Amino acid sequence: MKLLDLQDLHVATEDGVKLVDGVDLVIAQGEALGLVGESGSGKSLTALALLGLVRAPLDARVTRLAIAGQEMRDADETSWRRLRGRSVALVFQDSTTALNPVRTIGSLLVETICRHQRISKREARARALDRLRDVGLQPHHADAYPHLLSGGMRQRAMLALALANRPRLLVADEPTTALDATIQLQILHLLRRESRDRALLLITHDLGVASELCDRIAVLYHGRVREIGSAARLLSTPRHPYTRALLDLVPRFDMEASIPTPIPGSPPAPGEQIQGCSYRLRCPRATEQCLERPTLEGDADYKIACWNPLND
Amino acid sequence: MTEILAAHDVAVEFTHDGQTLQAVRGIDLTLDEGETLALVGESGSGKSTLALALLGVHQLARGKVTFRGDELASVEPHIFRKHVQPVLQDPYASLDPRWRVARSIAEPLHALKFGNIEARVASLLDAVGLAAEFASYLPNALSGGQRQRVALARALAPEPSVLIADEPLSALDMSVQAQILTLLADLQRTSRIALLLIAHDLTLVQRVAQRVAVLYLGRVVEQGPAARTLAAPLHPYTAALIAATPSLARTAADAERLVLPGEPPSPLAPPPGCEFHPRCPIARDICRTERPLLVEHAPGRKAACHFAGEITRSSDISS
Ligand SMILES: Nc1ncnc2c1ncn2[C@@H]1O[C@H](COP(=O)(O)OP(=O)(O)OP(=O)(O)O)[C@@H](O)[C@H]1O
Ligand SMILES: Nc1ncnc2c1ncn2[C@@H]1O[C@H](COP(=O)(O)OP(=O)(O)OP(=O)(O)O)[C@@H](O)[C@H]1O
Ligand SMILES: [Mg+2]
Ligand SMILES: [Mg+2]
């Protein structure tokens, strides 16, 4: 069963600047999909769109958006509110917008749990403490206000909040960036456990994390998916030159320690119009043909948008 | 080597509802001109608190902070602010939501009577890989990584001598990270800027830091040259951190074995003896009763462990 079916997502500014430009994402039950791509490529906006949280002055449009079987394309705020936190939940990239500063972590958790489940306050409180334990926090953290927690603790509190009602689709936007390696490992296990019979969309810039947790990976560049396929295939034999470049930059411990060379050039400026493939100007394989925009093509298992892919 | 910023037996406490939490419990650190010192450690171990103490934000329960040998209280605030710049862990908190990017970056420059502020802002934006268009953006229209780079540009604006950067690259993809690292390396070469880098990504630490200090529950448990410390750690917690670092080669099954047993300790009720003993794979009786001191085990290398060096290869931790 598809827990996420997103077709043709567009997010644009009032002035018509395209920030997300036709993204399709499908996630089946039991599946974890990784979304990777450069800073500013539209990952967080995609995540927000999946929860109906793209706000004016931005505008989001889809051809289809179904979450856990529910059609949400034309849903109003009331239906979104019923869905959010129960069928789909988001771990925000920043904790400041997600955690109300004047509420304790425990009361936020209890409120979220009670909004969607008919249980007593006491039961909800017990469940809240369980969720805190799941993310490696302690019972006394329930009484803490967000600003009294460390950065990594706040990040885990957000995760506990998102997992409070065991959503069928969890969207996690860089959920481990503030965590040290041992706690990150613990959280990755938790995410794997939680997504086993549900679904996970994991946004990350850490391909090591994506490879460990995700069944499939989608590579986003400048608002468009450039390559999507099984994690094993993408990481071992990437075909899009951008995916290859990202992989070449993954640090390894055994490597002679030095600062790697960034991908030449810079990502398009906001509103910049580039004819054809917008990676063309940074791509070592670009040809005349790239002046025409390649479409994302392939089958259900694997798709690529490139005229001159590698490993052919 | 010239010392520029130092912590001497620094302790920071927070009191809430009659309970005292010792977030930083007696830390000695020095930062020299032109060097990068990485601060790593468990979430909640006191890294950000120590950084804020070094910036003079937190009141100290004990100890002192010195800038060029002078105690912080005796340094002119405007001099300190020009020379010691922070990049806070939460870039959302460090930017005024009502200010456009250009104004945020320019703000520290006005007080310093910088010449052409506009040109300086433009070159800073370019240096952190942001197109000129972003100058007119408000923070809420920036992506996570863009915001983090604006916070960094702002900190670099007054040409500080010390940058205290709390996870400054955590939201950046590898290509932008590489670009920022090159920028920082250039600054270090040309203007001998000292960098205190709080990071959890050990592959990053290995690439850019000369020295590393590992924190656990408010104390330094290991300290030494970055390359040697990461290649052959002395403290089992350092070994665990290294082993847990994700890599493309690691399988899910490998990772399963690497999880540290037990729960992170509570700073409200630290365990007796060595604070790491409840989770340590090599703990013995003495570790449960006697707290090991941070002592030198090899030239320049210190560790607080009764059995320092027993686990050196990270693979040992998983067996
Ligand atoms: N309200 C807005 N107005 C104009 N542009 C916006 C707005 N919100 C976001 N953007 C732009 O949309 C682009 C995509 O942003 P998004 O937050 O989705 O990036 P991201 O892929 O999550 O990046 P990061 O990895 O840095 O978090 C960015 O260039 C950003 O500047
Ligand atoms: N203002 C405060 N009031 C009370 N407690 C605080 C305050 N700031 C931090 N703490 C507590 O001090 C401890 C250390 O926090 P700190 O933010 O220094 O950790 P950290 O090492 O930076 O962790 P992370 O890697 O998760 O950011 C934590 O237990 C935290 O809850
Ligand atoms: Mg983002
Ligand atoms: Mg911190």
Side-chain angles (χ1 to χ4, degrees):
Chain A
M1 178 193 177
K2 289 179 192 172
L3 290 185
L4 171 67
D5 187 356
L6 171 72
Q7 305 292 336
D8 210 22
L9 169 68
H10 290 264
V11 180
T13 65
E14 298 170 290
D15 318 329
V17 175
K18 294 174 177 170
L19 302 171
V20 178
D21 191 12
V23 165
D24 298 346
L25 294 175
V26 174
I27 309 181
Q29 181 164 4
E31 198 179 42
L33 173 68
L35 186 59
V36 306
E38 106 278 13
S39 176
S41 57
K43 304 181 296 293
S44 297
L45 287 177
T46 301
L48 291 171
L50 296 182
L51 281 99
L53 288 173
V54 173
R55 301 278 185 239
L58 298 185
D59 179 45
R61 278 160 210 271
V62 293
T63 315
R64 179 178 161 81
L65 173 56
I67 291 167
Q70 203 148 329
E71 288 297 340
M72 297 307 287
R73 191 184 74 178
D74 305 312
D76 57 8
E77 186 56 27
T78 321
S79 354
W80 270 117
R81 228 173 268 150
R82 262 201 303 274
L83 203 77
R84 247 182 252 138
R86 193 183 52 152
S87 298
V88 57
L90 171 63
V91 183
F92 288 83
Q93 187 172 12
D94 71 301
S95 56
T96 325
T97 50
L99 299 174
N100 185 337
V102 299
R103 298 278 304 277
T104 63
I105 301 298
S107 78
L108 286 172
L109 273 165
V110 167
E111 182 191 89
T112 307
I113 292 169
C114 289
R115 193 183 312 141
H116 296 293
Q117 300 180 41
R118 281 220 187 87
I119 54 173
S120 71
K121 265 266 159 66
R122 249 192 56 208
E123 265 175 286
R125 173 108 190 140
R127 221 166 274 185
L129 294 182
D130 284 345
R131 289 292 93 82
L132 285 180
R133 195 165 313 116
D134 286 346
V135 298
L137 292 177
Q138 289 145 3
H140 72 88
H141 290 127
D143 301 321
Y145 291 92
H147 69 275
L148 304 183
L149 298 180
S150 77
M153 289 169 168
R154 270 200 301 275
Q155 196 168 45
R156 286 179 281 154
M158 261 196 305
L159 179 60
L161 210 55
L163 290 176
N165 296 304
R166 301 250 134 107
R168 308 212 36 213
L169 171 64
L170 178 70
V171 183
D173 194 350
E174 306 275 12
T176 63
T177 48
L179 304 179
D180 64 89
T182 62
I183 291 187
Q184 168 168 274
L185 195 59
Q186 191 186 333
I187 296 302
L188 294 182
H189 286 304
L190 173 67
L191 288 174
R192 186 172 310 112
R193 250 194 342 267
E194 291 288 331
S195 62
R196 204 158 276 161
D197 54 350
R198 281 163 282 164
L200 172 68
L201 177 66
L202 176 77
I203 296 175
T204 179
H205 62 259
D206 188 332
L207 287 175
V209 167
S211 84
E212 223 168 277
L213 203 57
C214 299
D215 306 295
R216 288 188 306 134
I217 293 179
V219 181
L220 202 65
Y221 185 82
H222 196 213
R224 301 175 140 244
V225 173
R226 306 300 166 128
E227 187 172 11
I228 179 167
S230 80
R233 174 167 178 179
L234 238 72
L235 298 174
S236 64
T237 46
R239 294 181 66 229
H240 198 288
Y242 178 60
T243 314
R244 170 82 265 166
L246 280 183
L247 271 170
D248 287 342
L249 284 163
V250 173
R252 282 171 201 96
F253 247 134
D254 49 345
M255 217 156 68
E256 192 54 24
S258 69
I259 298 170
T261 314
I263 301 173
S266 40
E272 186 179 343
Q273 303 280 352
I274 297 174
Q275 187 193 345
C277 172
S278 56
Y279 187 59
R280 176 170 67 83
L281 301 171
R282 311 175 74 183
C283 182
R285 297 173 68 83
T287 59
E288 286 273 302
Q289 203 172 10
C290 305
L291 288 168
E292 195 182 318
R293 183 190 274 181
T295 52
L296 189 67
E297 302 208 20
D299 51 32
D301 290 334
Y302 177 85
K303 291 190 184 68
I304 184 168
C306 182
W307 295 117
N308 306 306
L310 295 119
N311 298 314
D312 262 351
Chain B
M1 264 177 290
T2 328
E3 173 191 303
I4 186 154
L5 195 66
H8 308 269
D9 192 30
V10 163
V12 180
E13 296 177 350
F14 300 110
T15 306
H16 280 285
D17 305 332
Q19 275 189 307
T20 300
L21 184 153
Q22 295 184 293
V24 172
R25 304 195 290 160
I27 287 185
D28 290 292
L29 274 186
T30 59
L31 185 64
D32 291 337
E33 267 178 16
E35 81 160 340
T36 300
L37 168 64
L39 210 55
V40 306
E42 179 150 81
S43 174
S45 59
K47 303 180 294 296
S48 299
T49 305
L50 177 63
L52 291 174
L54 287 169
L55 286 160
V57 173
H58 283 319
Q59 217 181 333
L60 308 187
R62 191 174 79 231
K64 63 175 183 182
V65 173
T66 55
F67 174 68
R68 295 199 168 124
D70 297 327
E71 199 160 335
L72 227 51
S74 64
V75 182
E76 287 282 345
H78 74 273
I79 298 212
F80 187 75
R81 268 203 306 277
K82 184 212 172 302
H83 286 288
V84 185
Q85 278 287 323
V87 180
L88 301 181
Q89 185 169 17
D90 188 353
Y92 297 76
S94 58
L95 299 175
D96 190 315
R98 296 159 308 174
W99 287 8
R100 299 194 183 275
V101 164
R103 181 170 175 197
S104 281
I105 297 177
E107 197 256 353
L109 297 176
H110 293 297
L112 297 168
K113 307 197 177 61
F114 246 77
N116 189 340
I117 290 183
E118 221 167 285
R120 175 95 184 122
V121 169
S123 85
L124 283 162
L125 275 179
D126 184 57
V128 297
L130 290 173
E133 282 86 341
F134 285 107
S136 63
Y137 272 51
L138 287 169
N140 73 1
L142 297 173
S143 78
Q146 289 164 350
R147 211 169 307 196
Q148 203 166 43
R149 284 178 279 162
V150 170
L152 180 66
R154 178 190 157 91
L156 292 176
E159 300 180 330
S161 317
V162 181
L163 193 64
I164 297 184
D166 198 346
E167 307 270 17
L169 308 173
S170 65
L172 303 178
D173 62 272
M174 289 303 148
S175 180
V176 176
Q177 265 198 26
Q179 188 180 354
I180 301 287
L181 291 176
T182 310
L183 166 72
L184 292 175
D186 286 347
L187 279 176
Q188 239 161 5
R189 236 192 345 267
T190 55
S191 51
R192 313 261 319 133
I193 190 172
L195 177 60
L196 181 72
L197 176 73
I198 299 180
H200 59 267
D201 181 349
L202 295 184
T203 59
L204 173 76
V205 169
Q206 186 196 34
R207 281 161 183 230
V208 301
Q210 286 85 51
R211 291 192 301 132
V212 60
V214 184
L215 259 66
Y216 192 80
L217 213 61
R219 284 191 230 272
V220 173
V221 295
E222 175 157 11
Q223 190 179 317
R228 268 183 292 157
T229 304
L230 296 179
L234 292 173
H235 197 285
Y237 176 63
T238 316
L241 271 185
I242 295 167
T245 298
S247 76
L248 289 180
R250 188 168 77 190
T251 65
D254 283 343
E256 201 81 41
R257 286 179 293 127
L258 294 170
V259 177
L260 267 182
E263 297 188 358
S266 166
L268 287 171
C274 171
E275 278 112 9
F276 187 58
H277 88 255
R279 311 175 75 193
C280 181
I282 57 167
R284 317 206 187 140
D285 283 345
I286 182 175
C287 308
R288 292 177 246 283
T289 52
E290 235 172 85
R291 185 167 69 80
L293 299 177
L294 185 68
V295 292
E296 191 152 58
H297 290 268
R301 298 196 59 183
K302 291 179 177 176
C305 175
H306 294 299
F307 303 98
E310 201 164 286
I311 296 188
T312 53
R313 285 174 307 121
S314 50
S315 55
D316 293 347
I317 210 114
S318 58
S319 52

